[in-house]
Every structure is written in structure tokens, then in C-alpha cells.
Amino acid sequence: MKATDLRCEHMHEPVGLNTVQPVLSWISDGNQTAYEIHAFSGNREVWNSGTVNSSTNHVRCGYQAGPKEKVIWKVRLYDEEGSAGDWSEGSYETGMTDASCWKAEWIDPEPEHDASVRMPAGCLKKTFTLDHIGEARLYITCHGLYAAFLNGKRVSDFVLAPGTDDYRRRLQVQTYRVSHLLKEGENELFVILGDGWYRGNVGIDGLNNYYGSDLALLAQLETDGQPAVITDGTWLASQNGPVRENDMQMGETYDARMETITDWHPVTVRDYGYDVLCGSDSVDIREQERFAGKLFTAPNGDLVIDFGQNLCGYTEIRIQAEAGQKIILHHGETLDENGNFTQSNFDPGERNKNGIPQKIVYICRDGLNVYKPYFSLFGFRYAKIETDADLTGAEFTAVAVYSDMKQTGSFRCGNEDVSRLFQNSLWSMRSNFCDIPTDCPTRERAGWTGDAGAFAPTGVYLADCWPVLRKWLAECRIAQTEDGRVANIAPVNNSGSMISDMLQGSAGWGDACILVPWALYEAYGDSAVLAENYEMMKGWMNYCTNRAKQTRDGNLGNPWHEYLVDQGFHFGEWLEPGVNSMETMKSIMMNGAPEVATAYYYHSAVLMQKIAEILGHPEDAENYRTIAENARNAYRYTCTDNGRISSRRQCEYVRPIAFGLLNEDEIRSAADSLDALVRDCGYHLNTGFLSTPYLLEVLADHGHTDTAYKLLLQEECPGWLYAVKHGATTIWETWDGVRADGTVHDSFNHYCYGAVSGWLFSGAAGIRLRAGKLSIAPKPDRSLGYVSAEWQSPAGLIQSGWRYEGDKLLFDIRIPIKAEIVLPDGREYNEDRGEHHYEILLQSD
């Protein structure tokens, strides 16, 4: 028996951690009954867990590491006979966790300038001599974005470093192993700084200079723990490098004729301090898949490149050209109704009059030109090209860029459109998990809480997203106000106006501060994420409780009105088909949204009771139990007729069933009514952002699996396969992104409705892992033909598949830990790890 896939804070051998006492985890290749861990710093053993009788596969290290300290840890496991297996080894290294470690100074490469005028990227360099190399580390961060090079080679494949944060409160420092890039004798450290999230355009309003108008660099290169190079007044800077203009949304202008820089000037030392600096507990943003482009001429005569996949990233250009020839690329997600290139679907309108051009201007040098942007990122499948260069032999490649999350879930079935739908969900997740989860990679690029809360239970199936979501939750904590209100977007990127302030704290959005940690806990079984966010969760619940006490006059007759949430701004169900969302928001401002807001108040209270019990806070647990009981009564009094629902809105059945606001008999009745409503709608859904993730589960878990599959397979709008039938390679923001007349609107890359892929795992394949407890209960249907699902889960590889063969229904299941297997005919098995096969003899019609 042996531990495999060793991780620290759910990452492989991380360097530069901010967490000094991290969680260590592994996967067992057998039936583990105990573990033993030893940790070493240098030649010194710093922690010995002893033999711990437990099947857990994660534990917090018992040693608190100091700054810049490397810890090697070894783990061995014991089987059911008490025999110890072989040792497995992992490591981690902390970053600059103490400000006293810094000897470097902040340096500014720019002369005094008008902050409203775009500046070229700042270039900085320092030459230095080394007598020996030793163990070398580069500690580096900046205001803006940086690309760092040692002796002409990039120090890391981390692009868009140091990542996004609320830089006023938190700025990550990266740590790189760089011994292999150094040489004895003379060396050069060269850094380019771009605008990035710090002073470039952010949010739908295109605000710039949001965190400051400067660029600045802080770097310290050490060999064997001693500073060899620091940023200080001896560095040189230039604004005459090739990156002439850069912005993450707007684009980049690059003049390859200026790659040799001769005009240098001194830097300015700035006193920005070290107070907001922290190490990195997340994964890098990296280049991932590549897609070769195909040129075609659009009906209007434009030359357009089709990369075949909508994604977030940028275009790499490879071309033979003459100096001064220019290539201009405009990036977009779709073609218009006439087959021409368009960006109209993500045009921000009056809110950002500059638009979002996603534009590359590349000016060639003589000979072979190979280029990709340093500091821009686009959402696109297509690029319109304007050029005076000969394109014979030219290559254009789309490069996907997202956080380095390993794909963990795969799904195939007998319906190619559903298999494509799964891929679309995966690609929208990739496109929107660039350091934090965002709504879309074009118009807003904002860390919307509601989207993350709805999608997180699906995301944990698709990719190893713990580090990204954990980092984003830290941004939510920062954005929370003193009264407990959780911002709708984290990091905050709005203007801070009275109106933007008034629109914060929506139910279903703010609740993501509870929903996301809970989804991570259920998938990974690691309560550390609950503990880390517990105070934020409590603050949000306090905010909701105080809001509930401010009841509107029309609801004072409710005996539990102090637990009815009918005040404050809420987005409501959001983007329901056939509903004007702006009119809905106006109505909510006037009348409240007690159905949505009270349901989420109850649901979060139920989860908080469980979380408080897990973390050992019994008084809190009792408080949340009381809140849940009374909020449930308040909901039932105002939003139902003694548990009966009468509505044409599917969400008003889905939500109370999914959250447990109804009694058992009422659930059966409501599920039957929902089934009838779906059938009356021609097997179309009419749900929005909040309840769509629960729709198929509610139907299938309450006796209407056939209806769930008919909804899944609906090819007309609104339905999941409508977009697939219209050539979508990602998930659209709205159900009708391409209207009947072919016109296009809104984002073509919003992951929220991709939450249906969570049901493909938990429902169709029946895989449910809840804090280390595994169950497999597939829900087959002939309409899908067969299902084959695989999840590289935190517990190990899980496979679940079924297929029809003649008069037999066959199941093939593989589990890494003990699991309960429930077959559709009602048979139940408690099985050990391994492969298991079952069959059901079908009755002839």
C-alpha cells in the first residue's frame, strides 16, 4: 500500500506559499486504516505525527514553517492488517512571509506623466556578477503585470503575473527556482511591466487607474538564502521597448523593430512598503491548449480566422515579413447573422464608450516574426485580420490561457450533442478560471459571486479547482463590509457610486460565501476551507438576519416575519427565458423578492448549522438551527399555500424542493406539478441562473427521470442543446444567444448554465462524493444510449458507466473507497474498492 498524488494545499510541491502550516493530502492505492507522517527541514525532523488510526487522506502539518523554508514530508499508510506500506515523499516551500526578509526597494520605471495618457510598457534591467550559483530563488511582484527574464530566458511559464487581487489590501509575491538560468560571471535580469488589472481597464465600465496610476517593480534574487540582486536605485529603465501600448481588455500594440533597446534612464525609488504583500497559495496562469486557425473570406469581404474553439487567451502570429508591415487582429466570439465578423454581442454600450476592441496591432521586423501578447487576454473564436503583409505560409494559432487546473472529469454518452455540451461546460470553465472565477472573458471579466455559487458543485467534478476558488474566497473576505454584506463581485471593480453600493448583497450572490466553501468541502473532504471562511460566513448570516428584521408593511401579518427577507436589492432568479431582467429588478426594488431571498436565508442557515457542528461550535449550530426553522416557516407562510405551490415559473417549484422547504408529501406533489409544467411547456425549461443547476436533479430524484432526459435533450430554445445545434463550443450567457433571425447577443462564454454537467455526473452517472462518503446511483435512460463517466476525485479514480445490450442494462463501476451502490431496480450494495459489474434484465414492452 502506498500514498500517491501527494499535495500541499492541494498543489504539487508548491514554492512560495503564504500558508506556513499547510494541509497535506494524498490518495491511497488501497484500503487505508492509518497513516504516519514525518516532516523535515534541512537535516532536522520538525514533526512526527506518529501512527494515526484514520482513513482520512488530508491533515494539517504539525510544523509551522518560517519564511523561505523548504519542508520535505514523508507519508506511509497502513492496510487493514496493520502492515505499513512504502514511504512517499513530497515537499513545499514558504515565501517571503516576514517583511523583514525584504532588502529590495520598490522602483518605478516611468518619468512623470499624465495619468490619463496611455504609456508604453516599462522595461527594466540590472546586470550583476555571480562567483557561484547555489540554490537560487527569485522573489518578485509588481504594480501592474510583469514578464521577467534571466539571461534572455523567461523565468516561468506563469503569464499575467502576479495575478489579480484587491491590490490595496493584498498583493501576491511569486517565488521561482532559477538556478538553471544563472551562470558564473555576468548575468542580466530583465523585466517588462504592463498595465494589467492594476491600472488598465477593468469591469464593464472600463475603469482605469483603479488601484493606481504607477508601474512599479519589487524583486529580490537570492542564492543560498542571501540576496544577490535587489531592486534599487541602480537599475535602469526605458519606455522605448517594443510593447507600445497594452491593456488586458483593449489589446496590445507591439513594434518588433524596437526589440533592441538603447535608450535607458535611471529608475525612481518609491516607498510603497511591504504591508500588503503575501505569498501565493494558488496555481499559476499558464498557456494551455493550442488551435490552428483557418483563414476564410467573409461575405462582406473581410479576411477572418476561425480557430474552431471559443476560448480565453490570445493569438500567436508566425509570419515572414518586411520591416514596417502591419498586422491588425480584432478578436470576437461569433459571426453575425450574415456570416460576418462581429463584436456586437459583447459591446458594453454607453457604460464603456471605448468598447472592448480586443485588438492586436503588430508591426513587423525583417524576416521571420513570431509574436504573442505579453499583457492582453481575449475571449474569442474568430479574429478579423487587416494587413499589408503577404500571408503566404503565415500561421495563426489561438492559445488558451487559464489557471493551471488539471481536468479531473470526463464524460461521454451515446448522444454526440450531449457529449459536446459537456465539452462546452468544460471550456467555459477554462475560459473563466483565469486566477479567479469570472462571468465572461470579454465584456466584464468580473468575479461575480452568483455565477461561482451556482457552478462550484459542477466545477469540482470538471477540474481540480480548489486553489483557484480558495484564492477567490480570500477576495470575497476582503470585499466584505463591516456589517457582513458580501459584494456581488470580488475583487470589487465598480466605481463605488451610491447606485453600485445599493446593488450589493443580493440573495443567491452573497450566499456564495457559504455555497462555494461547502461545495469544496463536500468534494475534497477538507474542513480547512470551512474554518478559513467561517467568520465571513457568520458575517453574511448576521447581515441577512438584520435585513430580515426590516419587514415591509404588507408582510407584517406573517407570524415569522422577522425571518422573512423582503427588503434589499436582489437580482432574483436572473435571466429567466421570456422575462425582462431589468423590469424584474425594478419590481424587486419596489416589492422585494421574499421567495428567492428567504429560501436562500433558510438554505444558508441549514448549511451553517452543519458547518458549525463540523468545526465544533455548538452554540452557533443551535443559533443557525433556530434561524432555519423560523425562516422555513416564514417562507411557507408567504410563498406557499400551506406547502402547496401554484405558479407557472419552474423555479418556484425547483427551489423549495431542492432546499427542503417542503414536507415529504408536499415535495412529491410539487415535483409532480413541476413535471406537468415542464410537459405543458413542451419539455422546455424556463429557469434562470439560480435554479437551473437543480432542475434535472429535482425531477430525476423525485420520480421524473424521463422528463429530466427530455429536458436535457431539448434542441429548441430554451434548452441546453439549442446552442450546441447552433455550433456553440462554449456555454452562452442566455438561452437564445443566437435568435431565430440569426442575430446574436450577450456573452457566448458564461459557465453558469454549464452546471448541467454536474448532473451528468451526479445524476446520469450517479457519482456523489460527500465529504469522503461515496455513493453511486446511476439514472439510465435509453434516450442517451450509454454513459461513461470518469472522475479523478480527491479520493481517487471513480468510474461509472451503463449501456443497453438487447434485453439487458449493464453497469460498470470502479470505486477507490468503500461505497454504496444503488441500482435503478432498487438493489443496494455496500462495496469495497475495486471494479464492480451489474446487470438488470429488462422487461419487454
Side-chain angles (χ1 to χ4, degrees):
M1 166 175 273
K2 191 171 184 177
T4 63
D5 198 23
L6 271 62
R7 301 189 180 208
C8 171
E9 290 299 329
H10 302 280
M11 296 180 286
H12 292 289
E13 300 196 338
V15 176
L17 285 177
N18 193 59
T19 300
V20 297
Q21 203 169 344
V23 171
L24 311 175
S25 61
W26 60 88
I27 291 177
S28 169
D29 67 359
N31 290 324
Q32 171 192 326
T33 61
Y35 68 84
E36 180 182 356
I37 301 174
H38 294 206
F40 303 86
S41 177
N43 296 321
R44 180 171 56 101
E45 183 175 86
V46 294
W47 180 52
N48 184 338
S49 70
T51 302
V52 180
N53 293 321
S54 173
S55 61
T56 187
N57 65 343
H58 53 267
V59 62
R60 188 170 296 281
C61 184
Y63 173 66
Q64 183 169 312
K68 304 183 297 179
E69 185 172 3
K70 181 176 182 179
V71 176
I72 294 175
W73 61 286
K74 299 180 179 181
V75 58
R76 66 177 176 181
L77 309 179
Y78 293 78
D79 62 20
E80 293 170 312
E81 297 179 354
S83 298
D86 295 333
W87 289 99
S88 299
E89 182 176 304
S91 69
Y92 62 90
E93 189 173 322
T94 55
M96 291 277 212
T97 54
D98 191 319
S100 65
C101 296
W102 284 105
K103 309 303 177 189
E105 299 175 290
W106 283 98
I107 56 174
D108 183 343
E110 296 181 327
E112 294 295 324
H113 63 279
D114 183 347
S116 66
V117 177
R118 289 279 183 179
M119 293 287 286
C123 300
L124 303 100
K125 72 173 183 177
K126 173 70 175 180
T127 57
F128 58 98
T129 302
L130 292 177
D131 294 329
H132 74 284
I133 297 173
E135 274 292 312
R137 299 287 186 271
L138 176 63
Y139 303 94
I140 183 170
T141 191
C142 72
H143 290 173
L145 300 175
Y146 69 81
F149 302 81
L150 271 170
N151 297 321
K153 295 183 179 180
R154 195 156 179 168
V155 300
S156 169
D157 51 10
F158 189 161
V159 299
L160 306 177
T164 182
D165 284 296
D166 184 336
Y167 300 120
R168 296 162 296 198
R169 302 275 300 277
R170 170 183 145 111
L171 174 58
Q172 291 181 107
V173 177
Q174 280 73 47
T175 303
Y176 301 117
R177 299 184 180 100
V178 294
S179 301
H180 63 291
L181 299 176
L182 296 171
K183 61 185 178 180
E184 293 182 357
E186 187 173 272
N187 296 263
E188 181 184 74
L189 178 54
F190 175 79
V191 181
I192 311 174
L193 297 182
D195 294 352
W197 291 278
Y198 186 83
R199 73 175 189 184
N201 285 20
V202 295
I204 193 172
D205 296 315
L207 304 172
N208 54 29
N209 296 324
Y210 193 76
Y211 296 103
S213 60
D214 65 294
L215 291 181
L217 175 67
L218 182 71
Q220 186 161 313
L221 191 153
E222 297 187 356
T223 60
D224 293 332
Q226 298 301 313
V229 179
I230 61 173
T231 46
D232 59 17
T234 65
W235 281 58
L236 296 176
S238 177
Q239 280 65 54
N240 289 318
V243 183
R244 306 311 302 154
E245 189 171 305
N246 71 94
D247 183 274
M248 290 187 66
Q249 290 184 339
M250 306 293 283
E252 185 168 300
T253 298
Y254 187 97
D255 191 339
R257 299 170 301 177
M258 302 179 67
E259 289 176 334
T260 300
I261 305 171
T262 57
D263 182 15
W264 297 93
H265 61 79
V267 299
T268 302
V269 175
R270 302 291 188 188
D271 184 18
Y272 294 132
Y274 313 113
D275 291 345
V276 300
L277 302 182
C278 65
S280 176
D281 289 337
S282 190
V283 292
D284 297 348
I285 306 168
R286 292 181 177 174
E287 294 183 354
Q288 309 282 354
E289 296 84 357
R290 300 167 65 89
F291 297 88
K294 296 181 179 179
L295 285 165
F296 71 94
T297 301
N300 64 0
D302 286 343
L303 191 60
V304 180
I305 310 166
D306 181 1
F307 296 102
Q309 174 63 54
N310 198 19
L311 52 79
C312 178
Y314 41 66
T315 300
E316 180 183 86
I317 301 169
R318 187 179 185 92
I319 188 172
Q320 290 281 349
E322 298 176 6
Q325 290 182 322
K326 187 180 293 186
I327 299 170
I328 301 174
L329 296 178
H330 303 262
H331 296 78
E333 294 183 308
T334 186
L335 304 177
D336 68 12
E337 66 273 24
N338 298 312
N340 297 317
F341 176 86
T342 185
Q343 295 178 334
S344 62
N345 63 300
F346 56 78
D347 186 342
E350 291 297 314
R351 294 190 65 173
N352 183 352
K353 294 183 179 180
N354 292 322
I356 304 173
Q358 299 197 132
K359 179 180 177 181
I360 291 297
V361 178
Y362 179 77
I363 304 169
C364 300
R365 62 175 181 268
D366 272 329
L368 178 63
N369 290 256
V370 180
Y371 161 80
K372 55 192 174 187
Y374 279 100
F375 304 121
S376 292
L377 198 67
F378 311 130
F380 70 104
R381 170 177 170 170
Y382 300 94
K384 183 177 75 173
I385 181 170
E386 302 168 2
T387 184
D388 57 355
D390 181 0
L391 296 181
T392 303
E395 298 177 9
F396 298 92
T397 304
V399 182
V401 174
Y402 53 89
S403 290
D404 195 27
M405 309 175 301
K406 175 185 175 183
Q407 180 182 342
T408 52
S410 62
F411 179 91
R412 303 187 313 279
C413 69
N415 185 299
E416 291 185 4
D417 291 335
V418 174
S419 296
R420 179 68 246 186
L421 175 64
F422 170 80
Q423 290 297 322
N424 291 0
S425 302
L426 180 62
W427 270 106
S428 278
M429 181 181 184
R430 289 168 171 167
S431 301
N432 284 291
F433 273 58
C434 183
D435 210 38
I436 61 167
T438 58
D439 61 329
C440 66
T442 51
R443 188 183 62 231
E444 297 186 56
R445 309 180 182 205
W448 280 96
T449 50
D451 300 56
F455 188 77
T458 296
V460 294
Y461 283 115
L462 303 190
D464 190 6
C465 56
W466 173 290
V468 178
L469 290 176
R470 183 192 176 205
K471 179 193 173 177
W472 176 74
L473 287 166
E475 297 300 329
C476 292
R477 297 196 299 271
I478 290 172
Q480 188 175 32
T481 54
E482 289 186 4
D483 62 357
R485 186 186 66 189
V486 173
N488 294 331
I489 294 173
V492 173
N493 65 3
N494 60 52
S495 62
S497 66
M498 180 184 71
I499 293 178
S500 64
D501 185 69
M502 181 179 66
L503 299 181
Q504 304 301 311
S506 172
W509 273 251
D511 295 279
C513 75
I514 297 170
L515 301 176
V516 174
W518 184 253
L520 289 172
Y521 167 71
E522 287 212 306
Y524 289 81
D526 185 352
S527 63
V529 71
L530 304 179
E532 188 171 53
N533 293 286
Y534 189 62
E535 291 304 316
M536 173 173 64
M537 301 180 202
K538 288 178 63 178
W540 170 249
M541 288 302 296
N542 289 340
Y543 175 80
C544 293
T545 296
N546 291 330
R547 182 164 59 182
K549 293 176 181 177
Q550 303 168 22
T551 312
R552 294 174 185 265
D553 291 344
N555 287 318
L556 289 175
N558 186 326
W560 300 276
H561 64 79
E562 289 193 351
Y563 295 88
L564 184 78
V565 185
D566 65 356
Q567 293 280 13
F569 169 80
H570 305 283
F571 288 107
E573 176 67 10
W574 192 245
L575 293 184
E576 286 178 84
V579 174
N580 185 310
S581 295
M582 295 301 108
E583 292 300 320
T584 298
M585 284 199 295
K586 290 178 185 178
S587 175
I588 289 173
M589 294 293 288
M590 296 296 295
N591 306 306
E595 192 278 321
V596 173
T598 309
Y600 272 92
Y601 185 37
Y602 165 77
H603 184 50
S604 288
V606 169
L607 295 180
M608 284 298 289
Q609 179 185 349
K610 296 177 181 178
I611 291 167
E613 290 169 349
I614 291 166
L615 298 179
H617 303 298
E619 292 183 3
D620 287 352
E622 178 58 25
N623 175 46
Y624 294 124
R625 186 200 64 77
T626 300
I627 290 174
E629 179 181 338
N630 286 285
R632 187 175 189 268
N633 289 333
Y635 178 94
R636 291 170 58 83
Y637 186 92
T638 294
C639 305
T640 75
D641 179 9
N642 195 28
R644 295 172 56 203
I645 300 168
S646 179
S647 175
R648 298 301 298 173
R649 299 175 66 201
Q650 295 169 14
C651 65
E652 293 189 349
Y653 295 90
V654 173
R655 195 164 13 255
I657 295 173
F659 289 177
L661 285 154
L662 305 176
N663 299 329
E664 188 173 336
D665 289 343
E666 296 164 353
I667 287 176
R668 282 196 295 269
S669 175
D672 290 345
S673 296
L674 173 63
D675 174 68
L677 181 57
V678 171
R679 286 188 279 108
D680 288 347
C681 291
Y683 294 100
H684 288 93
L685 48 74
N686 66 21
T687 49
F689 264 37
L690 292 184
S691 62
T692 297
Y694 303 101
L695 177 58
L696 299 187
E697 177 182 321
V698 163
L699 285 166
D701 285 359
H702 297 93
H704 301 290
T705 300
D706 57 338
T707 300
Y709 275 102
K710 288 177 181 177
L711 264 179
L712 175 66
L713 296 174
Q714 177 60 256
E715 297 178 1
E716 298 177 354
C717 186
W720 282 285
L721 297 190
Y722 176 79
V724 175
K725 288 297 186 182
H726 281 73
T729 60
T730 44
I731 300 296
W732 296 347
E733 179 179 10
T734 60
W735 296 110
D736 63 341
V738 177
R739 300 185 181 96
D741 62 2
T743 56
V744 297
H745 68 104
D746 290 301
S747 168
F748 273 48
N749 208 341
H750 252 67
Y751 58 70
C752 192
Y753 287 140
V756 65
S757 289
W759 185 80
L760 296 179
F761 281 93
S762 67
I767 302 171
R768 300 188 183 187
L769 182 62
R770 302 290 185 260
K773 295 182 179 179
L774 177 61
S775 65
I776 310 287
K779 290 183 167 58
D781 191 274
R782 279 193 182 275
S783 62
L784 218 55
Y786 75 90
V787 155
S788 176
E790 180 174 300
W791 182 26
Q792 291 279 357
S793 81
L797 177 62
I798 302 171
Q799 294 174 326
S800 176
W802 48 260
R803 65 191 188 278
Y804 289 88
E805 288 188 3
D807 61 352
K808 294 179 181 179
L809 176 56
L810 306 178
F811 298 85
D812 300 302
I813 294 171
R814 178 178 176 178
I815 51 177
I817 57 176
K818 292 182 178 181
E820 179 185 33
I821 312 293
V822 181
L823 299 182
D825 62 3
R827 285 181 289 165
E828 298 183 11
Y829 303 89
N830 289 306
E831 304 282 24
D832 287 330
R833 61 174 284 128
E835 295 185 6
H836 304 278
H837 306 278
Y838 311 93
E839 69 175 49
I840 294 176
L841 186 62
L842 303 173
Q843 295 180 353
S844 58
D845 295 335

